Amino acid sequence: MVQVTEKALERIRQLLAKEGVSGGLRLAVQGGGCSGMSYLFKLETKERASDHVFGCGDAKVLIDPKSFVYLEGITLDYKESLIQSGFTIDNPNAQKTCSCGTSFSTQ
């Protein structure tokens, strides 16, 4: 299961509307970053048959099966501050993260 907060869903709606597309936000894991794996965010116009889909209505988070292994149980949120704004991920599978929070390791 993946939890998506209302703030994250609202931001996804805003991004899709701004780009004039329907679909969702793809969340994936790729090799790289200072801890070994990093998160990838990308707007998608449609979901794939094999995707795990979370969210509701016009705000969906799409996760491919290989990435889902590393992302199961996460909470996706959106935070704004004076210094920065962006999606945040609370990943219980991550045993080590970098100081900037954009990469992680499960070992």
Side-chain angles (χ1 to χ4, degrees), residues 4-13 59 76-78 87:
V4 184
T5 68
E6 192 55 44
K7 280 184 153 184
L9 291 172
E10 181 56 34
R11 183 61 178 149
I12 293 168
R13 284 185 196 98
L76 177 67
D77 196 6
Y78 183 79
F87 289 103

Side-chain angles (χ1 to χ4, degrees), residues 23-39:
L25 178 73
R26 176 153 313 275
L27 176 54
V29 172
Q30 63 184 8
C34 35
S35 291
M37 291 185 262
S38 60
Y39 301 109

Side-chain angles (χ1 to χ4, degrees), residues 38-104:
S38 60
Y39 301 109
L40 174 69
F41 296 92
K42 178 182 175 188
L43 292 180
E44 292 279 351
T45 56
K46 62 182 180 177
E47 59 193 71
R48 299 175 193 150
S50 60
D51 282 339
H52 295 268
V53 181
F54 302 94
C56 59
D58 56 351
K60 297 177 185 174
V61 175
L62 314 172
I63 303 175
D64 67 87
K66 289 182 181 180
S67 295
F68 188 70
V69 171
Y70 301 102
L71 299 173
E72 186 173 9
I74 68 161
T75 299
L76 177 67
D77 196 6
Y78 183 79
K79 296 187 180 178
E80 292 185 36
S81 72
L82 292 173
I83 298 172
Q84 67 183 26
S85 62
F87 289 103
T88 62
I89 296 174
D90 179 17
N91 188 344
N93 304 306
Q95 294 184 7
K96 185 173 94 175
T97 61
C98 65
S99 60
C100 63
T102 60
S103 70
F104 70 100

